[in-house]
Amino acid sequence: MAFAPSSTPSAPPTPTGDVHLPDTARDLVKILVAGPFGVGKTTLIDSVSEIRPLHTEEPLSEASAQVDDLAGVRDKSTTTVAVDFGRISLPGGVVLYLFGTPGQERFRALWDDIAYGALGALVLVDSRRIDASFDVLGLVEESGLPYAVAFNAFPDAPRHHTPEQLRAALDLEAGTPMVTCDARDADSSVDALLALVQHLIDRNAPEDAR
């Protein structure tokens, strides 16, 4: 599966701590960054945010180890317990407010509050454990939010799956964008977000303009 084509500046955004919106800001858009536990939501927001990101991470405890599936993420020592938040300005005056949502079932009660007012969701998926994404995809679809899927390119992720196999495994509709990204890389992560933004634009375009 190919990476989303890059249409961003080559220099990644540098968090400055400045909370003021750029003068070019025109459209302010709330976007969810969703996905299962340990898929890279916090990492993606860190990589693209032009402001200092907000995190609500806590160390994993012995109690949480009994309910959080650590298969494939044994090195993970913290988890988001409320929300991650970042902001990125795109060309054309579009500003994305990124809200990372907890991926565990026990945080489901937070979903409605965090999702309120969002225009779409970028769902991160780990191809090493595709079944871990089913609950999150169910929440996104139940909410009615348009979404795009981005497979986070972990170094040991399997490479033999075809896009058709991955789409079938997630039971995605034909029109749902599906890309690969590296959540650690700003340009790659922005490209995944741009795939979602283009999907939102296309959905809201007049019929005769599609």
Side-chain angles (χ1 to χ4, degrees):
M1 180 167 53
F3 282 77
S6 178
S7 55
T8 61
S10 57
T14 301
T16 63
D18 186 358
V19 298
H20 299 290
L21 283 171
D23 294 336
T24 55
R26 178 170 53 86
D27 296 313
L28 311 181
V29 181
K30 180 179 180 181
I31 295 295
L32 301 187
V33 179
F37 171 66
V39 77
K41 302 180 295 292
T42 300
T43 300
L44 184 142
I45 291 175
D46 276 350
S47 74
V48 303
S49 183
E50 65 196 10
I51 61 173
R52 189 183 303 277
L54 167 69
H55 298 307
T56 55
E57 288 206 317
E58 294 293 339
L60 289 170
S61 65
E62 291 185 11
S64 66
Q66 303 303 312
V67 292
D68 292 333
D69 184 2
L70 296 178
V73 288
R74 291 290 177 183
D75 294 334
K76 187 168 175 59
S77 60
T78 62
T79 185
T80 299
V81 296
V83 67
D84 292 320
F85 175 77
R87 188 188 77 200
I88 179 170
S89 300
L90 300 177
V94 177
V95 178
L96 303 184
Y97 289 96
L98 306 176
F99 289 76
T101 63
Q104 296 97 306
E105 176 64 24
R106 69 179 186 276
F107 294 118
R108 186 185 182 105
L110 292 172
W111 176 263
D112 288 340
D113 289 337
I114 297 175
Y116 181 78
L119 292 189
L122 181 68
V123 180
L124 286 179
V125 175
D126 183 348
S127 61
R128 302 171 301 177
R129 47 193 186 98
I130 288 178
D131 57 346
S133 300
F134 294 162
D135 287 344
V136 175
L137 282 168
L139 280 175
V140 175
E141 290 176 350
E142 287 171 18
S143 71
L145 283 175
Y147 66 94
V149 168
F151 284 87
N152 193 7
F154 289 93
D156 59 342
R159 309 291 178 182
H160 58 276
H161 299 307
T162 67
E164 292 76 18
Q165 289 172 328
L166 293 171
R167 186 175 291 275
L170 292 173
D171 195 24
L172 299 180
E173 294 184 358
T176 302
M178 191 177 72
V179 299
T180 299
C181 76
D182 183 339
R184 302 166 300 179
D185 180 79
D187 285 345
S188 179
S189 296
V190 170
D191 284 341
L193 290 166
L194 285 173
L196 170 63
V197 170
Q198 187 60 56
H199 181 50
L200 299 179
I201 292 172
D202 292 344
R203 282 175 55 93
N204 290 295
E207 287 290 339
D208 57 359
R210 296 182 187 178

